[in-house]
Amino acid sequence: MISRLYKLIVIAMERDTYDFELEQIKKLIKERGAKRVGLQLPEGLKTEVTDIAAEISKDTGAEVIISGNSCYGACDIDEKLERIVDVLFHFGHTQTFFLKKEPLLRKVKKVVFIELRSSVNVKLVVEKAVAEIKGDTVGLVATVQHAHALKEAKAVIIHSGKKAVIGKSRLKYDGQILGCDFSSAVVPCKEILCIGSGSFHPVGLALYTGKRVIAADPFTMQISIYEAEELRKKRYMTIARSLDAKSVGIIVGMKSGQFDLSEAIDLKKKAVEKGIGAYLIVMDDIEEDKLLGFKVDAFVNTACPRVAEDFVHFEKPVLSVKEFEVVLGERKWEDIFKPFSFKR
Ligand code: SF4
């Protein structure tokens, strides 16, 4: 009960620090003369959305339509909603390279990304995290909500007598990371300090960069350590369970920034050449109960490259593309994990 209450307090604290940019949103609606407006927020912030809708509607006169679908990243634009509105506000992510993909160019004009910058003070948690840095230098990264605070975090580390490097990113900001892009962690040091909440990003950082990750949560003030080898072992075991597969379901994600049919067809061809039966399966959200019925020995996921990690305890192995290439004998085990996994 206490831990549930604590969680709710943390969520409320977190929410209160985000900049929803409502004044800019209302200004833009008026400037564009938008009559219908769409709102898409990540799961944890859906409690806010009715208040936001009411305020926008009252102050602009626009009809506001809320997306009830998932919102995991900039790869996950609610396309059906986007088609029926004049402008769609997508919260919590930055426009990324995914949107440069050909089928998505049309959407860039209609979708406005609200980054939800957090005003939480990162100084205290970074001061606490410094004690965990083993070497002289640490790479410094953050999710988009805290990317603007990285310089301040760097100053804290330097003040403690250590060095900090903020790496160049393929994303909008230096030091910014995504669940599938850790290009900013390609820096000359063995440890990364990651500012943000939850385990999704630090787990990916450790897994894909092979570095030791110190995760610093500025809301809970919790410091957690992630070691690459432990995480990689779990994935190697899943690959090992797939080595004898006689048939595979190749999942094609239908979310706008994850769709890659040509890659799925290519993998199917390679599997068939190796004597493995292969079937293409399209899905929006990839969930265990939706996979249960298929009579195949394993699944390969061509959508979000991090989804396979959610299926560690699933009765059948679910592999990423690179992991399946190991099964096909086309990739070495040591070449599976790279800091940017989306573009393969
Ligand atoms: S990690 Fe997955 S959900 Fe997140 S941005 Fe990348 S593809 Fe999208």
Side-chain angles (χ1 to χ4, degrees), residues 245-271:
K246 300 277 179 290
S247 58
V248 290
I250 300 175
I251 301 165
V252 181
M254 295 302 281
K255 291 181 187 295
S256 47
Q258 300 183 8
F259 179 76
D260 200 340
L261 183 59
S262 48
E263 174 167 60
I265 290 173
D266 191 42
L267 279 179
K268 181 183 170 189
K269 204 168 140 234
K270 287 178 183 166

Side-chain angles (χ1 to χ4, degrees), residues 14 18 42 71-75 92-94 96 98 115 140-147 169 171 175-185 192-219 224-228 231 304-306 309-310 338-339 341:
E14 208 172 313
Y18 291 136
C71 178
Y72 294 120
C75 59
H93 310 111
T94 45
T96 66
F98 314 126
E115 296 174 1
L140 199 46
V141 300
T143 53
V144 66
Q145 282 70 43
H146 307 290
S169 173
L171 306 170
Q176 185 191 345
I177 49 164
L178 265 189
C180 55
D181 191 299
F182 303 109
S183 47
S184 60
I192 302 290
L193 200 163
C194 172
I195 302 171
S197 311
S199 59
F200 182 67
H201 293 95
V203 163
L205 264 168
L207 197 56
Y208 286 88
T209 65
K211 295 176 196 254
R212 177 173 179 268
V213 175
I214 304 157
D217 184 331
F219 300 108
S224 315
I225 307 294
Y226 296 83
E227 302 283 356
L231 296 162
C304 166
R306 299 289 309 281
E309 292 161 37
D310 292 342
K338 298 279 174 223
S341 57

Side-chain angles (χ1 to χ4, degrees), residues 74-123:
C75 59
D76 195 2
I77 305 282
D78 190 330
E79 287 189 70
K80 288 181 185 151
L81 176 57
E82 182 266 346
R83 266 184 233 132
I84 59 167
V85 294
D86 301 314
V87 56
L88 171 63
F89 293 98
H90 178 107
F91 290 77
H93 310 111
T94 45
Q95 181 180 323
T96 66
F97 51 93
F98 314 126
L99 294 178
K100 288 182 188 150
K101 281 174 102 178
E102 190 54 35
L104 297 168
L105 283 176
R106 176 182 63 86
K107 293 181 204 327
V108 177
K109 289 186 194 130
K110 263 196 178 185
V111 181
V112 175
F113 291 87
I114 307 294
E115 296 174 1
L116 293 181
R117 285 181 176 217
S118 171
S119 59
V120 71
N121 186 350
V122 300
K123 215 172 148 224

